[in-house]
Amino acid sequence: MAPLVTERGLKSVVWQKIKAAVFDDCKKEDEWKIMLLDEFTTKLLASCCKMTDLLAEGITVVENIYKNREPVRQMKALYFISPTSKTAVSLLPPALRRVLPDCITAVPLPCSRLPAYCFLRDFASKSENKYKAAYLYFTDFCPDSLFNKIKTSCSKSIRRCKEINISFIPLESQVYTLDVPDAFYYCYSPDPSNANGKDAIMEAMAEQIVTVCATLDENPGVRYKSKPLDNASKLAQLVEKKLENYYKIDEKSLIKGKTHSQLLIIDRGFDPVSTVLHELTFQAMAYDLLPIENDTYKYKTDGKEKEAVLEEDDDLWVRIRHRHIAVVLEEIPKLMKEISSTKKATEGKTSLSALTQLMKKMPHFRKQITKQVVHLNLAEDCMNKFKPNIEKLCKTEQDLALGTDAEGQKVKDSMRVLLPVLLNKNHDNYDKIRAILLYIFSINGTTEENLDRLIQNVKIENESDMIRNWSYLGVPIVPPSQQSKPLRKDRSAEETFQLSRWTPFIKDILEDAIDNRLDSKEWPYCSQCPAVWNGSGAVSARQKPRASYLEDRKTGSKLIVFVIGGITYSEMRCAYEVSQAHKSCEVIIGSTHILTPKKLLDDIKMLNKSKDKLSFIKDE
């Protein structure tokens, strides 16, 4: 049975797998250990557990494997690291390192940057061992050459040596990332010299996606969006093949049957509009308008600079992150008043028992108010960016994206809608480029003459590739496309804000997939999907309904989605909304990385530039 949905969803599932495969495997009562991590495993553990969780598992200290450390020979060490042999890309996720071609891996990094070398150095000889013994756990497949070296060098010091097979980061309860943003360049760059790098990254992504499915204990039917590019088709074929190999049982060479889940693989060009539109739901708006790095929001209160991490352990953040900014601005002050009135009501009682209760509740009140102050500051910072310029821009963007105005009247002249934005000196170049792109998307491509005129009038010659290079994603830019744009669901009856009428295309796809309405020509299967999977609950006339079907659905069928080249925060929100509306199916959405409009435009600008194959390695 697939893992059940718990409080933190995918994060909890990953933590439970690590706990069982690593900590439970080496745990001994009343024994404390030192834990050694590299960059990837540090990020992996940080995404799904806290230091208190590690303490509960007998970990007393967590160390960076690359740093010089004093020997602690009376204690055992738990190494949770990425395997690597001779490689120049030890900072990349393990699945990518393992398959990159020789032209990339042949340039050695200093040995101090190789996790496995650091482990071997720690146990160079019995007299020089840093620790009493080692429990060695790799995130991924350990090459035979490396395994043999470890075996001959320090096997007597090793108590365990295992592969865990987790090659993704659970970013949220229903969101994962492969943490390979450079896949965008290699998958969409037109440079033919990148072909080997692209093939390697496709292989790596396929392996990483298989670990997502395996962690969820799913062997899904794999489907892909057939147009406009063939990246999704190639990746889907690779994933299907690797799923088949993964679920083989060695003793009998049997393959685990397909479960009641689907995996949809999509190229980023399927919905360009949602990537550049200003989104006004709280999380998407904040990450677009404010300089939030590594989920850390910096703000000032009472004259002091403070930091807050936007994470799912914050119940208030989870509650309001997908709500419209207008609702958030109304809700947070109400919550603050409620807490204040509750506190005053408690303070009004002078009995000893009442005072005792108040003292117990004070930390709780303080914690709640602190959270609300953080999110109120966050909302106000968003509005300070929104009010001067973005508000007027949003109306133009919505009209262009939908082709209709707020009253439902068809936009007859898109250029007339666009011009006020281009003439407004208060809008920066990024905002003007986003508006131009929405104009081009709305008319399904334009002429070279028209595009040149727009670029020259706005004086964005140096940034023109932010517009032109969309064609490498299969999006019509120049010349106009003769193919009609895909039909959208009619959502005119849905209640919404005038400046937030656009619905990301992914929501249509998710709903159609669950209701079994995806066109099989547009969304082919790589393998025969189990007949029992269709969101409507209907079954073939040739197939007898099974008594266990509804039971299977109640345990949680999953719709797993992977977008090549990044997903937006608005698309992440759609996964939660669709899961909430279709409680029998949980949507898990992921990508190579998470997009913000500015970062995406910067990446698109680079697509036609020559890129050093090692440029994505960061200096220490």
Side-chain angles (χ1 to χ4, degrees), residues 529-582:
C529 188
V532 73
W533 167 267
N534 48 43
S536 64
V539 294
S540 166
R542 297 180 181 179
Q543 179 191 0
K544 293 182 180 179
R546 299 190 316 172
S548 62
Y549 170 66
L550 290 177
E551 200 173 307
D552 287 336
R553 290 299 293 238
K554 285 176 183 176
T555 61
S557 292
K558 291 182 175 63
L559 177 59
I560 306 167
V561 180
F562 181 76
V563 180
I564 304 170
I567 50 170
T568 67
Y569 286 97
S570 61
E571 288 166 339
M572 289 160 56
R573 168 176 56 82
C574 290
Y576 292 92
E577 290 174 348
V578 173
S579 296
Q580 186 66 27
H582 299 78

Side-chain angles (χ1 to χ4, degrees), residues 106-107 113 468 531 591:
V107 183
R113 299 305 299 168
R468 296 183 184 278
S591 186

